[in-house]
Structures are given as structure tokens and as C-alpha cells.
Amino acid sequence: MSDTLLSRFLRYVQIDTQSEARSETTPSSPGQWDLLRLLESELRALGAADVQLDAFGYLTASVPATSDKDLPTIAFLAHVDTADFPGAGVKPIVHPAWDGAPIRLPDDPAQVLDPAQSPDLRAAIGKDVVTASGRTLLGADDKAGVAIVMTLVERLLAQPEFQHGPIRVCFNPDEEIGRGVEKLDLHALGADVAYTLDGEYPGEVNWETFSGDSAVVTIEGVSTHPGWAKPQGMVNALHLAAKLLAVLEAERAGPEYSEGRQGFIHATNLEGNTARAVLRIIVRDFDLDGLAAKGARLKQLCEGLQAAEPRARIHLVIKPTYRNMGEWLKRDMRPVDLALEAMRAVGLETKVIPVRGGTDGSRLTERGLPTPNLFDGAHNWHGPLEWVAVQDMELAVQACVALIQLWEQRGRDYPRMFSRR
């Protein structure tokens, strides 16, 4: 029996590939190697060229050009890792020709997919919807993208008469922990333009993302025996961290108070004790001036906390994480414009949605490889109610084929970035 888009997807989601932020290896978890090696063998079986799995878990391959035109090299990428919600023991369930009734997930009946609460589901009525069973995520973020890219490779190789330029594909680790393409060798990838398959709605093209910084506030208190805390001058580092958090909450700085193009300051982790506390924060904004203003506000708050309690030592470090890809893509919008035209070519209404987060494309674009993001059809990411419709994944494959065709027709003068003529 031949492989299908659905059978691939169901196979991939059953491999636990949850990434681990505390790990210092790349990939950060052994399960990612399991999926990458499986994908490597599948690419070889399909007849892909130049199949390489490097020491950092970047799996690349080629579909050789069939056109004799001098065309740019296009890459399609998808990440193999899943987010920080249980990803072991995934039991995917296919709901064929779903009739629109609420879907109660069997392993946790409290988990219900209901179009009354999730209006996006209404567009999936009549489609083959895939969910997990209630206690894990599904992993469609981004194994839907992985299955789409693999199916794209298969279809291109099966149709040598289809005219196109050189195509590269890449499956990468650790997107969910912000390290997805940090060690990817762009000269080895050899692409001039790229697309990630990691969006939500059919017809969606993303060319703007948040710009992101990470902040670490280290608070050194004064630890003493609590029985003699007052005369010995205890300074509780946890209390000072709580005061900082209280001000951020009073200023409604967090993501729970923002939407659209509004940015935020989000405390993600607090560890410590009386003597020392470490508070980790992410800062996000679409506008670089807005990002800088939020960083300046954090600095001001830390300086105020230090002035109010001079016996403590408070240290703030802010580091850049990624930048809005739109800062670069708007200089030449052809990768975006052709993607939007490809969506229309397969009958989809286009959706241009600024991403309230980052993608691998954010870093790739910043590093010199223009990389908008396309949809893969996955919804409700990072939790037990994640779902995807098979027909939406199929539309993504078709949109990629249409996009490749448009590049073949109009891409001859596009500047070369990392490919060799």
C-alpha cells in the first residue's frame, strides 16, 4: 500500500519529539533523532538527492531542477520538535467527514472540541479531522508541516515533466525552544529564498513576527536565620522578585492584556530562595522602538527596586532573541507576493496575519535568507485540544506546488543569496 499524507502524519506524531530547553545538546532531546533518522530513510527511499543528516540534527535534501532556466533555489522547512506539553504516547484519532458535533476526547472526557467555543472548527465540518486522545498534544505543530514537505518531495519526484528550479528541503530540531536554526549552515542549505510550513489557517502567509528579547533578573538578597531576621537584616530575594512582578501586573504588561499588534513583558520562570532569586522574562513587540521601550521600563523598575533596597544586589541582563522578519522582507516583497498568489491559485482566500511570536523564518530572514511562513493547517497548538484537517494539509501541498510553479515563471532575476549558479 502506498504512503499518503495522512499515513505519514499519523506515523510522525506517534514519535515523542518534545524538545528540552535545559538541554545543552542539539537536538535537545533523543526522540528528535528518532524522527529525523526515519525521515532520512524515507527521503532516500523516495529518491531525493543530496540527503544529509548533520551532527546537529539538520536533515536536508534536494529535488533537482527540471527546468533549464537559471532559477533561484527554493527551500521548504518544517521543525520536528513539539512544545512543552506531554508528547509521549500520542494516540491520534481520525474523525472522518466530521459532522460538526462536539468531539469529546476519550482519554480525558473533560477535553471537548466544540465549535461553539472554537469557531475555527466550523470550517472543518465535512473534513477528516485528526485529534489526540486527550492527555497529550497531537504534534501537528509542526508534524503537519513535516508531512506536507515530505509529500511535496514525493509529488515533485514523481512528475519529472513538471518544470521547476532547484528545490531544497530541511527538517530542523528545537524550534519550540527558540534554537531551531541557530546551527543551520545556510551555505550548505544553499537556498536563495525559503518558506517555513508552520502557520494555522488555509491561505495564511506570515511575513511579520514579533521581535523578541530575553531578560534575566538576578536578585541577591541577605540570608539570615529567620528567628533573628530583623536584627540581622534579612533581605528576602523572593519578596523583591514578587514586588517586581506586582508592578508588572499593576501595569498590565503581560500577554494576557495584549492582542493584535500590542507587545508585552512576560515573566516565564521564577526560581530561588531567600538568598537568591532568578526571574526569567520574555519581551515582545512588533516595533523595535516598542521593544526598546519595554526593555528600558524593565531596567527602570530594577533600578527602582535597587534604590528602595540598597542591601540587595539586583542585576538585569537583556539579550536579543529574534527580530521581526518584516524589517527585511519589506525591502523585496516578491517571496510574499508569490506566496499570496499561490494561495489564490488553489482557490484559497489569503490571510496575512502578523505572528504574535517568532518562527524559524524570523532568524533565517535576519541571517540573510528571506523566509516567510505558510500555513500547515494545525490549530490549538501546544495543548490537548490540538487538531488538524487532512484536507487543509492537502491544500498546503497544492499551494507549495503552485508557488514553485510561480517561481519557475518569474524568478530568473531574483538575487542569489547562498546558492551557487
Side-chain angles (χ1 to χ4, degrees):
M1 182 178 177
S2 63
D3 221 344
T4 67
L5 177 57
L6 175 59
S7 65
R8 287 190 174 97
F9 176 68
L10 297 180
R11 182 164 64 249
Y12 302 157
V13 299
Q14 293 180 71
I15 300 173
D16 179 12
T17 59
Q18 183 177 338
S19 46
E20 174 49 66
R22 295 173 186 249
S23 170
E24 296 182 358
T25 65
T26 304
S28 64
S29 57
Q32 293 184 72
W33 280 118
D34 294 339
L35 179 53
L36 287 162
R37 291 186 180 109
L38 173 65
L39 296 173
E40 179 187 21
S41 67
E42 292 184 4
L43 284 168
R44 294 186 188 282
L46 288 173
D50 310 318
V51 180
Q52 300 253 341
L53 178 58
D54 74 14
F56 297 114
Y58 294 99
L59 174 60
T60 55
S62 298
V63 178
T66 55
S67 172
D68 59 6
K69 297 178 184 176
D70 180 20
L71 293 168
T73 299
I74 306 170
F76 294 90
L77 297 95
H79 66 86
V80 299
D81 66 315
T82 59
D84 55 351
F85 190 86
V90 173
K91 295 185 283 186
I93 302 171
V94 181
H95 309 268
W98 176 57
D99 62 6
I103 300 172
R104 193 173 298 276
L105 302 182
D107 289 347
D108 183 357
Q111 302 292 344
V112 181
L113 273 167
D114 187 343
Q117 276 73 50
S118 301
D120 294 343
L121 272 168
R122 296 188 184 117
I125 293 174
K127 297 179 181 179
D128 302 322
V129 173
V130 187
T131 69
S133 60
R135 296 192 181 278
T136 69
L137 47 63
L138 175 61
D141 176 16
D142 187 27
K143 290 170 186 173
V146 173
I148 289 162
V149 173
M150 188 66 77
T151 302
L152 175 66
V153 170
E154 178 186 42
R155 293 189 187 173
L156 292 175
L157 290 171
Q159 300 177 66
E161 71 281 2
F162 178 73
Q163 295 292 290
H164 62 79
I167 305 297
R168 294 282 280 161
V169 298
C170 177
F171 300 110
N172 64 274
D174 292 336
E175 188 268 356
E176 299 291 0
I177 56 174
R179 309 202 301 246
V181 293
E182 292 302 315
K183 296 180 180 179
L184 176 60
D185 184 337
L186 296 189
H187 291 280
L189 180 63
D192 303 302
V193 63
Y195 296 91
T196 51
L197 275 293
D198 200 13
E200 187 171 8
Y201 301 99
E204 181 177 348
V205 176
N206 313 113
W207 65 273
E208 284 192 279
T209 62
F210 271 148
S211 287
D213 286 344
S214 64
V216 178
V217 181
T218 303
I219 303 172
E220 302 283 352
V222 178
S223 181
T224 69
H225 190 291
W228 290 268
K230 184 175 181 179
Q232 293 183 3
M234 175 186 283
V235 178
N236 192 320
L238 291 173
H239 289 176
L240 295 179
K243 288 180 180 180
L244 177 57
L245 291 172
V247 174
L248 292 174
E249 172 62 18
E251 295 183 355
R252 300 168 71 87
E256 61 268 43
Y257 302 112
S258 72
E259 60 184 354
R261 298 186 67 86
Q262 298 170 325
F264 56 75
I265 301 172
H266 178 41
T268 62
N269 182 266
L270 173 60
E271 296 179 345
N273 50 35
T274 301
R276 186 175 188 270
V278 178
L279 177 61
R280 301 184 187 278
I281 297 170
I282 61 173
V283 186
R284 300 289 186 264
D285 204 287
F286 283 98
D287 182 75
L288 289 176
D289 290 339
L291 186 72
K294 288 174 175 61
R297 179 56 178 153
L298 263 182
K299 182 180 179 183
Q300 184 182 48
L301 291 175
C302 289
E303 289 173 345
L305 199 62
Q306 179 69 80
E309 184 46 87
R311 295 172 297 169
R313 288 184 297 171
I314 300 168
H315 186 55
L316 169 67
V317 175
I318 298 177
K319 294 182 179 180
T321 307
Y322 58 84
R323 291 295 178 258
N324 184 348
M325 65 171 75
E327 296 290 327
W328 292 270
L329 286 172
K330 63 187 177 185
R331 301 171 191 174
D332 187 339
M333 289 288 284
R334 277 179 288 180
V336 177
D337 293 339
L338 291 181
L340 292 170
E341 188 171 343
M343 299 301 164
R344 292 189 288 267
V346 297
L348 292 170
E349 179 182 347
T350 58
K351 298 176 176 66
V352 178
I353 303 174
V355 178
R356 287 180 56 81
T359 70
D360 283 329
S362 302
R363 286 291 294 125
L364 289 171
T365 302
E366 184 180 358
R367 291 177 62 193
L369 178 61
T371 310
N373 185 51
L374 311 179
F375 78 94
D376 64 14
H379 298 261
N380 292 353
W381 308 314
H382 300 190
L385 295 179
E386 190 181 11
W387 64 273
V388 67
V390 178
Q391 287 81 358
D392 292 346
M393 290 193 290
E394 171 60 33
L395 283 169
V397 178
Q398 294 175 20
C400 289
V401 172
L403 179 56
I404 290 168
Q405 188 170 35
L406 288 168
W407 275 106
E408 196 275 339
Q409 295 167 357
R410 305 183 202 170
R412 295 181 70 170
D413 65 339
Y414 191 75
R416 303 304 194 260
M417 301 296 174
F418 295 98
S419 71
R420 305 179 185 87
R421 288 182 179 272

